Amino acid sequence: MAKSDTRRLDKEIQHTTRKLTAVQNRELWPLDGRERRAILAAVAGGGIRTARGKSTGRAERSIDTAWSAAETRLIAEVTALQGERQRLVTEAAKAKAAKKSSGWW
């Protein structure tokens, strides 16, 4: 394993963690297109219902659902990246131990 492999994964983990923090702060930039459309559609629908003087419960629930789906997606990405990094580190350690034990001394 080259250090560049873990460095690349570390950068990806850091970037995805920043995205997760942004989603938890309800920022729109880290969302993908489907999530962004769902949130904006719910906001528009809620705005129309508010203008008509009606309840916005369904719109609020759909907004909360979209935010939690985005958060869940990013948590899964971070977990997968950390697992991949750990796998690379473990493989490198096994290779190093095998190389050491195969020596004459």
Side-chain angles (χ1 to χ4, degrees):
M1 170 195 72
K3 287 187 186 244
S4 62
D5 292 342
T6 57
R7 202 172 298 140
R8 179 184 55 82
L9 281 172
D10 288 340
K11 276 187 175 183
E12 282 296 319
I13 290 170
Q14 184 179 26
H15 184 65
T16 308
T17 304
R18 275 196 343 231
K19 283 184 177 182
L20 179 61
T21 304
V23 165
Q24 289 169 343
N25 292 332
R26 300 297 191 244
E27 297 175 19
L28 288 175
W29 67 266
L31 300 178
D32 62 14
R34 179 181 46 84
E35 294 163 346
R36 190 174 290 131
R37 276 192 305 274
I39 288 175
L40 294 177
V43 167
I48 290 170
R49 290 186 65 84
T50 300
R52 293 181 180 167
K54 297 184 178 179
S55 171
T56 59
R58 184 173 49 191
E60 290 172 3
R61 280 192 304 276
S62 64
I63 290 171
D64 289 339
T65 302
W67 282 116
S68 66
E71 193 171 342
T72 302
R73 176 183 59 86
L74 289 170
I75 289 171
E77 283 183 25
V78 168
T79 304
L81 288 169
Q82 288 172 339
E84 180 66 18
R85 184 186 189 287
Q86 186 60 45
R87 186 187 63 79
L88 285 174
V89 168
T90 303
E91 282 180 5
K94 284 182 185 177
K96 186 175 181 180
K99 184 178 177 184
K100 272 190 164 184
S101 67
S102 69
W104 190 68
W105 285 102

